[in-house]
């Protein structure tokens, strides 16, 4: 019997330039489709010529849609379109009136459609990289109600040819019984619940020698837990996916970052802006999907990450990202007023001399002190005072300015650091 292919498909080992050309050849039609079929994009992109968006530089000029805006638009149109005008599918009385196979609810509440395409969330690629193959039984412990995680894994598993046990969340004893009797080759779910299952099995003296692989997501997966699982015979890999976008990136056996999915365009931008950062710099993950049913264009995930240099040692040629590195929404309340990362970006834009900038909020509650630390290579006389004046104009708050040398601020994506004492 021939050995299974090392990759899910040939797309994973394409020449990077070929991939880039293919993605940006498909993008104009996706933008035109979104403008024609999704009312929100008809408004947001009404002045955009889709045929002109054929490069990353052109894409970077389009507005970023962040989750709070998506939620606001959904709330405004609850009566006739729960997707806020962003989806091109729906059902009778909602949106286009047809095409949605399922609808899910995430905290907010935000609503997400599932269309009729096979492997709609594109999860098969991540499962395959984690070692799942046709004929395997997957114990799926992601939720099957409200949120789409259970369906995401199940549809991906079916695309590979796997059988799925719909475990869902909770009921630990019953799930452990099913694992001991059905003997699944792998697990899909959160890493913490997999640890709970293995701990319970050990306490009960139940061996699970057949459970050898896992695809985990939904929470942090530290190396210590990865190693703990490996010591018990389970090789677990993580993926980065969202209910809005489906799969964004996935881990490979090389365990060097996460490789981007083949059907998304990912940018890393400075938090609070739509401006791409240099390779290796930490910023917000912004994703454009080629999904025609939910054509999210420049969707700001609110997650921080960074591009890793070089290619994956497995031979996959797509860009790699570091993985989840925190949240980009660093809004702070100072002296009764909210200060947003976009405001700090505005200050920096007004002073081109500034490289990285970070607002540090210190002191005790009710005695807040703001200090803008700004990297400047060759500060002119009076620059700090001019920046301080701009900071006050933009935020309506007085703050100090500290100029520092380029490379002084840490590369962690932080724009606002709340260093106050709350005791």
């Amino acid at each position: 019997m021939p050995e299974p292919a090392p990759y899910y498909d040939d797309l994973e080992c394409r020449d990077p330039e070929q991939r880039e050309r293919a993605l940006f050849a498909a993008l104009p039609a996706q933008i035109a489709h979104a403008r024609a079929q999704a009312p929100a994009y008809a408004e947001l992109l009404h002045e955009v010529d889709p045929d002109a968006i054929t490069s990353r530089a052109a894409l970077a000029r389009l507005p970023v849609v962040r989750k709070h805006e998506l939620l606001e638009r959904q709330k405004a149109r609850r009566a006739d379109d729960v997707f806020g005008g962003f989806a091109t599918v729906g059902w009778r009385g909602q949106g286009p009136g047809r095409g949605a196979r399922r609808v899910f609810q995430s905290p907010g509440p935000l609503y997400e459609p599932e269309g009729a395409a096979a492997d709609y969330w594109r999860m098969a690629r991540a499962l395959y990289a984690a070692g799942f193959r046709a004929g395997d039984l997957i114990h799926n412990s992601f939720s099957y109600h409200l949120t789409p995680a259970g369906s995401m894994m199940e549809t991906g598993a079916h695309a590979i040819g796997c059988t799925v046990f719909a475990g869902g969340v909770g009921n630990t004893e019953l799930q452990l019984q099913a694992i001991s009797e059905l003997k699944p080759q792998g697990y899909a779910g959160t890493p913490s619940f997999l640890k709970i299952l293995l701990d319970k099995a050990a306490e009960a003296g139940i061996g699970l020698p057949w459970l050898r692989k896992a695809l985990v997501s939904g929470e942090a997966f530290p190396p210590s837990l990865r190693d703990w699982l490996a010591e018990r015979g389970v090789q677990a890999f993580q993926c980065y996916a969202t209910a809005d976008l489906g799969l964004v990136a996935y881990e490979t056996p090389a365990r060097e970052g996460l490789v981007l999915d083949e059907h998304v365009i990912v940018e890393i931008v400075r938090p609070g802006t739509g401006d791409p950062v240099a390779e290796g710099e930490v910023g917000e993950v912004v994703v454009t999907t080629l999904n025609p049913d939910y054509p999210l264009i420049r969707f700001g995930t609110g997650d921080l990450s960074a591009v890793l240099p070089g290619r994956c040692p497995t031979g996959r040629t797509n860009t790699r990202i570091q993985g989840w590195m925190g949240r980009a929404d660093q809004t702070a309340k100072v002296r009764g007023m909210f200060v947003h990362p976009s405001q700090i970006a505005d200050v920096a834009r007004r002073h081109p001399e500034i490289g990285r900038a970070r607002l540090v909020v210190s002191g005790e509650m009710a005695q807040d002190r703001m200090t803008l630390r700004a990297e400047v290579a060759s500060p002119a006389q009076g620059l700090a005072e001019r920046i301080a004046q701009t900071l006050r104009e933009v935020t309506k708050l007085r703050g100090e300015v500290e100029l520092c040398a380029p490379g002084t601020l840490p590369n962690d994506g932080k724009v606002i650091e709340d260093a106050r004492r709350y005791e």
Side-chain angles (χ1 to χ4, degrees):
M1 190 172 181
E3 285 289 317
Y7 310 119
Y8 180 66
D9 58 27
D10 291 340
L11 297 178
E12 293 182 2
C13 49
R14 284 184 289 180
D15 179 270
E17 292 184 5
Q18 180 189 2
R19 178 183 294 108
E20 193 80 348
R21 286 195 301 269
L23 288 172
F24 282 91
L27 183 58
Q30 177 75 336
I31 294 173
H33 170 70
R35 286 206 327 169
Q37 303 298 327
Y41 281 116
E43 176 188 336
L44 290 167
L45 305 179
H46 71 282
E47 294 182 350
V48 173
D49 175 8
D51 291 335
I53 313 302
T54 57
S55 67
R56 289 186 179 269
L59 178 62
R61 291 194 288 270
L62 302 186
V64 173
V65 175
R66 291 189 165 86
K67 192 158 288 197
H68 69 86
E69 182 179 353
L70 183 64
L71 178 59
E72 289 165 6
R73 286 178 176 266
Q74 285 197 3
K75 285 181 175 178
R77 297 196 58 180
R78 286 284 196 248
D80 66 325
D81 188 348
V82 296
F83 303 125
F86 285 93
T88 65
V89 294
W91 58 91
R92 185 180 302 162
Q94 286 288 343
R98 62 186 181 280
R101 175 183 287 174
R102 297 185 181 95
V103 59
F104 296 99
Q105 183 195 79
S106 296
L110 277 165
Y111 293 97
E112 299 96 13
E114 180 181 288
D119 191 19
Y120 174 84
W121 308 93
R122 308 178 313 282
M123 198 57 66
R125 192 177 304 282
L127 286 162
Y128 198 91
F132 291 92
R133 299 294 182 265
D136 285 346
L137 171 63
I138 298 178
H139 186 99
N140 186 8
S141 285
F142 275 117
S143 175
Y144 273 81
H145 72 283
L146 292 180
T147 64
S151 183
M152 292 168 79
M153 288 295 176
E154 180 165 295
T155 51
H158 288 165
I160 294 175
C162 299
T163 302
V164 176
F165 175 75
V169 297
N171 300 301
T172 305
E173 289 76 13
L174 286 175
Q175 295 214 43
L176 183 56
Q177 180 183 356
I179 291 173
S180 64
E181 294 177 352
L182 297 176
K183 299 179 174 57
Q185 283 77 32
Y187 164 94
T190 62
S192 61
F193 190 63
L194 177 56
K195 183 180 186 301
I196 289 171
L197 287 170
L198 293 176
D199 277 336
K200 289 284 186 183
E203 289 173 11
I206 300 172
L208 305 175
W210 44 82
L211 190 63
R212 287 288 172 260
K213 49 200 170 189
L215 180 63
V216 299
S217 193
E219 60 189 25
F221 185 44
S224 57
L225 180 52
R226 178 197 67 200
D227 295 342
W228 186 93
L229 294 171
E231 289 168 3
R232 285 148 184 83
V234 181
Q235 295 297 322
F237 297 85
Q238 61 182 315
C239 69
Y240 170 37
T242 77
D244 320 275
L245 300 159
L247 180 67
V248 177
Y250 59 97
E251 192 174 19
T252 75
R255 297 196 184 278
E256 294 184 10
L258 306 181
V259 176
L260 297 184
D261 178 48
E262 295 292 328
H263 298 285
V264 294
I265 299 171
V266 172
E267 304 165 273
I268 307 293
V269 308
R270 196 170 305 284
T273 78
D275 305 330
V277 299
E279 182 178 298
E281 189 168 344
V282 177
E284 181 184 6
V285 179
V286 169
V287 181
T288 297
T289 174
L290 298 179
N291 176 2
D293 296 336
Y294 203 30
L296 294 176
I297 297 164
R298 296 207 88 199
F299 181 73
T301 64
D303 295 323
L304 293 174
S305 193
V307 169
L308 291 177
R311 297 184 184 178
C312 180
T314 64
R316 292 172 174 86
T317 59
N318 209 343
T319 301
R320 298 175 299 159
I321 60 175
Q322 183 71 41
W324 188 81
M325 300 176 69
R327 292 292 294 169
D329 183 8
Q330 301 156 22
T331 298
K333 198 170 189 179
V334 182
R335 295 171 223 152
M337 297 185 66
F338 285 105
V339 181
H340 304 276
S342 58
Q343 293 175 299
I344 306 309
D346 189 17
V347 173
R349 268 195 297 270
R350 298 189 191 189
H351 298 275
E353 306 95 327
I354 297 177
R356 284 201 194 111
R358 173 182 300 213
L359 185 73
V360 180
V361 185
S362 57
E364 298 180 3
M365 295 303 289
Q367 297 181 351
D368 304 323
R369 185 169 65 254
M370 292 197 327
T371 303
L372 182 67
R373 303 191 66 207
E375 293 184 353
V376 178
S378 301
Q381 187 173 2
L383 177 61
E385 290 77 9
R386 292 193 294 274
I387 295 173
Q389 178 61 31
T390 303
L391 179 66
R392 187 174 183 182
E393 291 173 3
V394 171
T395 66
K396 312 305 180 192
L397 294 164
R398 190 184 301 275
E400 300 172 3
V401 172
E402 177 187 322
L403 303 182
C404 51
T408 302
L409 298 177
N411 178 25
D412 57 7
K414 226 172 232 189
V415 176
I416 298 177
E417 178 184 349
D418 193 340
R420 289 174 289 192
R421 294 198 301 265
Y422 291 89
E423 302 175 341

